[in-house]
Amino acid sequence: MEPLYRKYPIFIENSLTGKKEIFLPVSDGRVGMYVCGPTVYSDVHLGNARTFTSYDFMFRYFKHLGYQVRYVRNITDAGHLENDADEGEDKIAKKARIEQLEPMEIVQRYTVDFHEVMEKINALPPSIEPTATGHIVEQIQMIKTIIENGWAYQSNGSVYFDVENYNTKGGDYGVLSGRKLEDLQSGSRALDGQEEKKNAADFALWKKASPEHIMRWPSPWSEGFPGWHLECSAMSTKYLGEQFDIHGGGMDLKFPHHECEIAQNVASSGHKGAKYWLHTNMLTLNGKRMSKSTGNAILPKELFTGQNPLLSKGFNPSTVRFFMMQAHYSSILDFSDDALMAAEKGHDKLLGAIETLSKLQPSESSTYNVQDWVDRCYIALSDNFNSPILISHLFEAVKFINSCTDLSIGLSKGDLQLLTEKMNCFAFDVLGLRKEESSDSHKEALNKAMDLVIELRAKARDNKDWDTADIIRKQLTEAGIQLKDGADGTSYTL
RNA sequence: GGUUCCGUGGCCGAGUGGCUAGGCAAUGGUUUGCAAAACCAUGUACAGCGGUUCGAAUCCGCUCGGAACCUCCA
């Protein structure tokens, strides 16, 4: 059978070219995707979660189309300095010092936290999740190559990438971010400790550790640690090759992080690394990006429990995911309690309709063009992963499903099967929504109890004892159970 | 200051030259013992001002407002 990716080829907005391009993988039928993961020095906030949810959605769609995907998402556990003037303390080491813990205790704690959040939001684990400290050897090797190729220089035990030399000899530092070297140099401030560099735009590949720096490894140049940008180049090359398909990350990493990565890749192998560079946009709070350092952030666990002054209540992770998927990954998304409330209603309506669909009986013939709908859904997804458009199509189907109580409309057996399969597929497999899970035994007990209550109330209603019927309904509503009196009996939702 | 991007109806949010995106809210209706849910109907929305065009929310220019990056952040 022909794979779905042939029928619905993907078009991707490529940051490298600024154009929407057809996706043609390096190796037919396979996708290699690298995404810059978190620096594990504090709890991930909701903005971080948005980025990884966006890439998880793409990962899921690639797999759904039949691609064999290798998804690499790293954990930065060393080398990420407090500022990028290549000075300042390592983020992990600083936290370790403040909390009087081993750096690896910090790394472990926040890696676990990150995984918990990812699991809650239903993000699939990546194929490989490499760490910077686990790839010191590869990073040192890459630095050696870059030095041999003449693009880096040593200075006082540290090694810097020679940006000016790189660009003079045909490199195009600035290609991704649209920056010109002259602008960068004139725009740079004079910072302390820059005297080791030939030019302000140069960036560290290896830093000599100061005496108090606790995270350090031996190298040909000094006892020290790798520069932040290097880990991604080294690990993407190791696991995906010198030329692979997709490199993603948050918009804020476009410059300098990804710009530097490209330069390192070219300097060591002659290739830029990924063919398609993707950037997901920021999640804002009060119109400003969420950020750990400024404190303008909300944590996923606060959102799930409702324990934050900005929230009227807690929201389940699937609702949060739905909220994110209603916006395109490349747009700024503004967070608010109102927006979450609206998303929750929509999310529940969508899942409710999928439940209704599972109980629908086939008709003689169809009054809805399911195949056309399926095509439109795929076309939306393949058009730069347009989840909002997909969702609008899903709601078109929701409207149809909810109209099926009218006997003049319905679906043939084949169409019913197709719609059921695709609705479930798009909502759960691709968008990654998840039904509120409750344990089966509890559910069964509740169902039995509810059947009893509904039956007793039905008797009251038969006797036109509306007072009793209404009291039952009212009290159940207060307990969080909503009764719905339909033509074919009473049902309930939590 | 430099480099990008954005400004869509009460709110969120797609679209990017002609064809009502969608969700939430609101109003009216159908249904129902009453509700709820659902369905149907209802919005002269594209920051402002010019220009290009037969036609612009969509392209161009200017103005105003906001954001990201240029120092760490997804």
Side-chain angles (χ1 to χ4, degrees):
Chain A
M1 205 179 85
E2 196 186 44
L4 283 167
Y5 59 76
R6 292 227 197 286
K7 191 168 180 195
Y8 305 106
I10 298 181
F11 291 81
I12 293 180
E13 176 85 23
N14 189 353
S15 298
L16 196 56
T17 59
K19 294 195 183 91
K20 200 185 275 184
E21 301 169 5
I22 188 161
F23 176 71
L24 295 170
V26 173
S27 173
D28 191 41
R30 290 164 187 268
V31 175
M33 175 162 115
Y34 187 94
V35 171
C36 293
T39 300
V40 283
Y41 72 104
S42 69
D43 290 317
V44 287
H45 61 66
L46 200 63
N48 302 108
R50 183 194 182 194
T51 295
F52 303 122
T53 304
S54 295
Y55 289 109
D56 178 63
F57 159 59
M58 295 177 202
F59 177 41
R60 285 165 174 273
Y61 186 54
F62 278 126
K63 290 211 300 184
H64 173 72
L65 286 189
Y67 281 113
Q68 197 177 319
V69 191
R70 180 178 289 170
Y71 174 28
V72 182
R73 187 186 64 206
N74 70 296
I75 295 275
T76 296
D77 59 352
H80 204 161
L81 301 184
E82 288 246 275
N83 66 63
D84 203 47
D86 293 319
E87 285 303 317
E89 213 169 345
D90 181 289
K91 281 168 178 279
I92 308 277
K94 182 184 178 185
K95 187 84 174 182
R97 180 173 57 74
I98 291 168
E99 303 208 4
Q100 297 193 314
L101 292 169
E102 272 295 317
M104 280 299 135
E105 282 183 283
I106 296 295
V107 166
Q108 179 70 12
R109 179 200 291 175
Y110 293 113
T111 300
V112 168
D113 167 79
F114 173 60
H115 286 156
E116 278 174 7
V117 170
M118 288 298 103
E119 198 284 320
K120 279 224 169 66
I121 206 129
N122 204 18
L124 300 170
S127 323
I128 302 174
E129 193 167 45
T131 60
T133 55
H135 297 77
I136 300 292
V137 172
E138 288 81 355
Q139 294 182 75
I140 288 174
Q141 188 53 50
M142 187 172 261
I143 297 171
K144 281 183 184 166
T145 308
I146 294 173
I147 293 173
E148 279 165 21
N149 291 345
W151 308 116
Y153 58 91
Q154 288 183 59
S155 176
N156 193 26
S158 293
V159 180
Y160 292 97
F161 191 96
D162 193 336
V163 175
E164 193 176 75
N165 185 32
Y166 172 74
N167 265 18
T168 307
K169 294 184 183 163
D172 50 3
Y173 187 85
V175 63
L176 182 66
S177 56
R179 286 174 162 79
K180 291 191 176 66
L181 207 49
E182 310 85 77
D183 297 339
L184 284 169
Q185 283 168 348
S186 60
S188 284
R189 292 179 312 184
L191 287 159
D192 292 341
Q194 292 275 19
E195 60 273 10
E196 283 183 358
K197 295 185 190 178
K198 288 205 265 184
N199 287 296
D202 294 350
F203 56 91
L205 299 176
W206 188 265
K207 283 289 287 180
K208 181 182 177 180
S210 54
E212 68 275 13
H213 198 102
I214 37 183
M215 301 179 80
R216 52 171 70 211
W217 291 266
S219 80
W221 315 285
S222 66
E223 198 163 269
F225 54 93
W228 173 44
H229 311 303
L230 191 63
E231 57 169 291
C232 293
S233 285
M235 295 190 288
S236 64
T237 304
K238 173 160 182 174
Y239 296 113
L240 298 170
E242 291 174 357
Q243 289 180 286
F244 58 98
D245 302 303
I246 290 177
H247 188 122
M251 200 70 112
D252 50 345
L253 298 184
K254 198 169 181 180
F255 187 90
H257 187 56
H258 292 158
E259 195 72 71
C260 294
E261 265 189 67
I262 290 174
Q264 289 165 350
N265 293 342
V266 172
S268 62
S269 77
H271 301 293
K272 288 194 173 77
K275 194 170 166 188
Y276 306 90
W277 289 74
L278 270 66
H279 292 94
T280 52
N281 220 320
M282 300 293 101
L283 182 66
T284 60
L285 182 59
N286 300 319
K288 295 263 184 351
R289 65 171 292 199
M290 284 202 193
S291 163
K292 290 182 237 200
S293 55
T294 60
N296 187 49
I298 188 163
L299 299 180
K301 57 185 147 193
E302 294 171 339
L303 185 51
F304 302 152
T305 61
Q307 284 171 348
N308 185 295
L310 294 165
L311 299 167
S312 59
K313 64 189 276 294
F315 295 92
N316 84 53
S318 185
T319 296
V320 175
R321 190 159 171 135
F322 178 79
F323 163 70
M324 291 174 176
M325 289 292 126
Q326 272 192 304
H328 193 255
Y329 77 83
S330 66
S331 299
I332 291 170
L333 173 61
D334 193 52
F335 177 89
S336 71
D337 190 58
D338 283 350
L340 258 292
M341 296 283 270
E344 183 175 57
K345 289 253 174 73
H347 170 267
D348 293 352
K349 185 174 172 180
L350 174 61
L351 265 55
I354 293 174
E355 187 72 25
T356 304
L357 177 61
S358 69
K359 292 170 187 155
L360 233 50
Q361 296 300 315
S363 304
E364 288 297 308
S365 61
S366 296
T367 56
Y368 187 67
N369 191 337
V370 178
Q371 187 55 55
D372 175 66
W373 173 85
V374 171
D375 286 338
R376 286 185 286 128
C377 288
Y378 277 112
I379 288 164
L381 282 166
S382 283
D383 183 11
N384 199 22
F385 309 99
N386 201 322
S387 55
I389 294 287
L390 170 73
I391 289 172
S392 79
H393 293 332
L394 296 187
F395 275 105
E396 183 187 304
V398 165
K399 198 166 269 190
F400 175 79
I401 291 162
N402 286 334
S403 303
C404 281
T405 45
D406 183 337
L407 294 175
S408 66
I409 55 179
L411 294 173
S412 68
K413 199 175 171 193
D415 277 346
L416 181 59
Q417 215 170 1
L418 180 63
L419 184 65
T420 303
E421 185 205 323
K422 292 303 178 186
M423 273 298 268
N424 278 280
C425 186
F426 292 137
F428 302 119
D429 300 346
V430 178
L431 290 177
L433 305 180
R434 185 148 63 176
K435 282 177 223 159
E436 264 306 270
E437 66 276 297
S438 54
S439 78
D440 286 348
S441 60
H442 283 155
K443 208 172 182 177
E444 207 176 308
L446 179 66
N447 272 330
K448 280 183 182 164
M450 285 305 297
D451 286 348
L452 179 67
V453 173
I454 287 169
E455 194 188 317
L456 289 173
R457 181 165 168 273
K459 276 185 184 161
R461 293 178 74 211
D462 286 344
N463 296 331
K464 300 213 188 299
D465 179 3
W466 307 127
D467 286 348
T468 304
D470 288 349
I471 275 180
I472 291 171
R473 187 173 60 200
K474 184 163 175 269
Q475 303 238 339
L476 284 175
T477 304
E478 281 167 11
I481 297 168
Q482 184 72 58
L483 288 184
K484 294 177 198 171
D485 295 329
D488 50 351
T490 302
S491 60
Y492 75 95
T493 52
L494 288 173

